[in-house]
Amino acid sequence: MKSDAVKKGATQAPHRSLFNALGLTKEEMNKPLIGIVSSYNEIVPGHMNLDKIVEAVKLGVAMAGGVPRVFPAIAVCDGIAMGHIGMKYSLVTRDLIADSTEAMALAHQFDALVMVPNCDKNVPGLLMAAARLNIPTIFVSGGPMLAGHVHGDKTSLSSMFEAVGAHAAGKMTEAELDYYVEKVCPTCGSCSGMYTANSMNCLTEVLGMGLQGNGTIPAVYSERIRLAKHAGMKIMELLEKDIRPRDILTEKAFMNALTVDMALGCSTNSMLHLPAIAHEAGVDLNVDIANSISAKTPNLCHLAPAGHAYIEELDEAGGVYAVMNELSKKNLLNLDCMTVTGKTVGENIAPVKNRNTDIIRPIENPYSETGGIAVLKGNLAPDSCVVKRSAVVPEMLQHEGPARVFDCEEDAIAAILGGKIVAGDVVVIRYEGPKGGPGMREMLNPTSAIAGMGLGSTVALITDGRFSGASRGASIGHVCPEAAVGGPIALVEEGDIIAIDINANTINVKISDEEMQARRAKWQPREPKITTGYLARYASLVSAACKGAVLEMK
C-alpha cells in the first residue's frame, strides 16, 4: 500500500505516534488510508450539505474495509461572487484546489481518494488533481438544487438575475423582485439549471469518474446519501483492482465528454475545463475539435437557461446515462472506455432507458441536428471564441450590428441599465480575460440585464471573459487572443460593424486588414489591474482560454 510509507517500519515509528494521536488503532493502521476531499463550507449553497455526503462516504469506506480521513478544499460561490472583485477569484480557485489537493494527498500518502465537490470550479479542480495524482479516485458530488416556483412556473438563479434587469427597465416592482428573492433558490445544491456546476457534474459521469446519477440526483434526495455510501464502498474496489484516473481519463473518454456536452447543451465553461483536465491527464484536447463533434451530434436537451426543464427532470427522465444511450443508437460514443463502476461505458448505459422524451429528445427527433456549443473564428477571434448555440434564439444565429465597446464589466452594466444599449447593438466587454481581468470574470450580470430589459433577442454580447452557465442569448465568450495581449478585440472601436454567423462558425469586425494593422501599430499594453498577491501570480502564468486557461511553467 502507498500509505505504508507513513505506517510501516522502524523509521516510521514517529509517523505512527502521530496516527495514535489521531486515535487510530493498530487494526486501522493495517488498512488502506482513504482521503476524502471535502468541499464543505457554510457560504456556498451548493456545498452546505456536503458534510452529510462526507459522512455517508466515510461509512461506505469503513464498511468496505478502509480508513477514511477527511481534508478540505476551498470553494467559491459564483453567484455571490458575481459582479464585483470577487468574481476575479472564481476561475483562479480551480488551480488552488488542484494544487492543495495534490499537496495533501502526497504529503500524507493516501492510498486512494474520494472527491466530494459540487460547484463550478471544485469539480474541474478536483478532476485535474485526480489526473495529476493518478491514484484510485472516485467522485460523488453534492447534487443539484430543486427548481424554484414563482406564480406556478419553475425558476432558477438565472430567473433572479434577469428579474434585476426587468426591475431596472421598470417592468417589475420592487415587491415582485423581493418575491423572486424568496422563491427562486428553494434548497441547497448546485443551481438548478444546466449551468457550469451541473454541466461538470454530468460530465463527470460521462468521463467515467462518478457513479450513475452523480450529476442529476437532487441534493435533498436521500438517494444522494445512498450514492455517497456506494461511492465510499466502490473506492475500495478501485483500489483492489488498481483502476486509476488515467486508465479512465483517456482521449476516447474526452471525446465522449465533448459529445454528451453537445447533446446536453452544457455551459460554455466546459470548453475551459475539459482541456484543462485533459492537460493534466496527458491528453491534448484542442477546442477546435468541438465543431466537428457538434456537426455530427444532435442536441437532445433544452435545460434551463436554454429551456424550461431542470436537472431534477433530467434525473427523472433517466439522467445522463439515458442521454448517452440515445447517442449510442447512432454510434456516437466510445463504448469500450473504462469507468469507476469497473465496467465499460457500454455496459453501464445498456440497461438505462429514456423515460421522458419531452426532456430527452429521441435521437431521431432532436432539437437540432448539431450540438449545443459552437466555436467561432474570424478576424475578431483568430484563435477561437465560444457560444452556447442551444441557448440562442434563431433570429440571433446571424447578426450584424454596431460595436458598443467597454473596457470592463462595470461600465457595460452601467450602460445597459442606463438604457444606452438598443436593439441591434453588439456589446463588447474586453480586458476581462485570464490575464487582463485577471481571472476571467463571468458576465452573467450583463447578459441577464440584457435579457431582463427585453433585448435578449436583438443584442449580442462578446467578451474575452466568460459566461455563467446561466447566461443565455448570443453570448460569445473566451475570445482569443484576449485584449490584454493585443488580440483584435483590443482594437475594436465604437461603432465598428461586427458580423456574427453562428451557423457558419464565424465572427468578424468589418474593417480592412490595413485598418486593423494601423490600429495594431498604435495599440499599447495596459498596466496590470492587480500587481500583488495570488491574482498577480496567476496573471503571469495563465495560458489562453482556448488552452483551458491552465497555468504554464515559465
Side-chain angles (χ1 to χ4, degrees):
M1 289 187 292
K2 187 181 180 70
S3 60
D4 286 350
V6 292
K7 294 189 302 188
K8 297 294 178 77
T11 56
Q12 278 67 44
H15 306 68
R16 290 197 297 278
S17 72
L18 293 169
F19 282 118
N20 280 338
L22 289 171
L24 264 64
T25 65
K26 289 181 179 179
E27 291 82 0
E28 286 175 301
M29 280 189 261
N30 287 323
K31 295 179 179 181
L33 190 62
I34 309 300
I36 302 175
V37 188
S38 171
S39 300
Y40 168 77
N41 64 44
E42 295 182 336
I43 190 63
V44 181
H47 290 215
M48 62 181 283
N49 66 320
L50 295 190
D51 55 339
K52 310 295 190 301
I53 303 297
V54 166
E55 287 303 313
V57 171
K58 288 171 68 177
L59 277 172
V61 169
M63 284 191 291
V67 178
R69 295 286 99 179
V70 180
F71 64 89
I74 63 168
V76 164
C77 176
D78 280 21
I80 295 173
M82 194 72 64
H84 56 90
I85 191 173
M87 182 44 69
K88 294 180 184 287
Y89 286 91
S90 171
L91 177 62
V92 305
T93 65
R94 188 185 69 180
D95 295 275
L96 285 174
I97 291 161
D99 292 349
S100 61
T101 301
E102 174 194 358
M104 287 295 287
L106 293 180
H108 302 100
Q109 292 292 288
F110 287 105
D111 294 301
L113 297 172
V114 182
M115 306 295 199
V116 187
N118 209 29
C119 287
D120 295 32
K121 308 311 163 309
N122 287 73
V123 181
L126 291 179
L127 280 165
M128 289 166 67
R132 188 186 302 176
L133 289 162
N134 201 34
I135 60 176
T137 303
I138 193 170
F139 278 67
V140 57
S141 301
M145 183 184 293
L146 293 178
H149 292 267
V150 175
H151 305 311
D153 295 324
K154 286 189 172 182
T155 59
S156 60
L157 185 65
S158 54
S159 313
M160 188 69 251
F161 277 92
E162 290 177 16
V164 173
H167 177 261
K171 298 179 179 180
M172 181 179 289
T173 66
E174 189 162 346
E176 183 72 359
L177 185 67
D178 289 342
Y179 183 73
Y180 267 66
V181 170
E182 295 293 329
K183 298 298 183 181
V184 298
C185 295
T187 71
C188 62
S190 48
C191 297
S192 55
M194 187 52 80
Y195 309 151
T196 305
N198 291 327
S199 294
M200 293 310 302
N201 279 322
C202 287
L203 294 182
T204 300
E205 282 191 60
V206 183
L207 286 167
M209 292 297 293
L211 299 177
Q212 181 183 359
N214 187 54
T216 59
I217 299 169
V220 294
Y221 283 14
S222 298
E223 187 181 357
R224 175 68 55 177
I225 299 297
R226 297 197 298 273
L227 180 75
K229 290 176 183 176
H230 283 131
M233 290 185 274
K234 184 61 70 172
I235 192 61
M236 301 307 297
E237 181 183 323
L238 294 173
L239 178 59
E240 181 184 355
K241 294 180 177 178
D242 196 30
I243 298 174
R244 298 169 181 250
R246 291 196 189 185
D247 299 326
I248 295 169
L249 296 172
T250 62
E251 183 176 1
K252 286 183 177 181
F254 285 104
M255 294 303 104
N256 283 349
L258 283 171
T259 300
V260 179
D261 191 330
M262 296 299 170
L264 283 172
C266 291
S267 164
T268 51
N269 280 314
S270 62
M271 293 294 106
L272 273 178
H273 299 321
L274 287 173
I277 299 159
H279 175 75
E280 296 289 355
V283 174
D284 183 17
L285 187 64
N286 190 316
V287 295
D288 287 353
I289 200 172
N291 284 340
S292 62
I293 291 176
S294 177
K296 62 183 181 182
T297 306
N299 179 225
L300 304 181
C301 299
H302 268 193
L303 299 155
H308 299 290
Y310 295 83
I311 301 297
E312 63 202 69
E313 291 163 285
L314 176 62
D315 186 65
E316 292 163 8
V320 176
Y321 278 17
V323 175
M324 295 173 75
N325 195 307
E326 289 290 346
L327 293 171
S328 71
K329 293 175 183 177
K330 288 195 174 180
N331 300 315
L332 294 174
L333 295 176
N334 299 294
L335 299 180
D336 58 348
C337 294
M338 179 51 62
T339 73
V340 292
T341 66
K343 299 177 181 178
T344 65
V345 167
E347 290 172 312
N348 287 340
I349 68 173
V352 182
K353 304 302 179 186
N354 182 354
R355 295 194 292 268
N356 188 336
T357 55
D358 291 329
I359 303 298
I360 304 171
R361 288 276 188 96
I363 199 161
E364 302 82 10
N365 180 35
Y367 283 100
S368 65
E369 293 294 340
T370 54
I373 289 178
V375 175
L376 316 183
K377 286 189 176 184
N379 71 352
L380 184 56
D383 291 343
S384 68
C385 58
V386 179
V387 63
K388 186 170 181 174
R389 174 167 43 198
S390 60
V392 180
V393 293
E395 56 266 36
M396 287 298 289
L397 291 171
Q398 290 180 302
H399 181 75
E400 282 195 20
R404 306 297 309 281
V405 183
F406 305 94
D407 287 350
C408 66
E409 178 192 6
E410 288 81 0
D411 290 350
I413 283 284
I416 296 165
L417 296 181
K420 296 179 180 178
I421 303 301
V422 299
D425 284 348
V426 178
V427 176
V428 177
I429 306 177
R430 60 193 181 188
Y431 294 99
E432 290 285 6
K435 287 184 178 293
M440 203 178 183
R441 289 193 288 182
E442 288 184 343
M443 300 293 139
L444 178 57
N445 274 342
T447 58
S448 298
I450 287 169
M453 298 184 78
L455 297 170
S457 61
T458 57
V459 170
L461 194 153
I462 300 170
T463 181
D464 53 7
R466 59 196 179 91
F467 294 106
S468 163
S471 291
R472 61 186 175 96
S475 303
I476 300 166
H478 308 192
V479 170
C480 293
E482 63 173 291
V485 299
I489 192 173
L491 311 178
V492 176
E493 295 181 359
E494 186 80 7
D496 285 347
I497 299 301
I498 294 177
I500 301 161
D501 191 333
I502 294 172
N503 289 329
N505 303 117
T506 61
I507 183 167
N508 291 287
V509 55
K510 299 182 82 170
I511 60 174
S512 67
D513 293 344
E514 292 77 16
E515 174 64 17
M516 186 76 85
Q517 290 170 1
R519 292 183 188 182
R520 186 178 305 284
K522 296 176 184 177
W523 179 81
Q524 294 292 324
R526 302 287 181 90
E527 288 294 318
K529 295 177 184 176
I530 294 176
T531 58
T532 60
Y534 178 59
L535 285 179
R537 295 197 301 277
Y538 181 89
S540 71
L541 295 172
V542 69
S543 72
C546 56
K547 295 182 178 179
V550 297
L551 300 186
E552 296 182 314
M553 302 290 287
K554 297 297 182 183

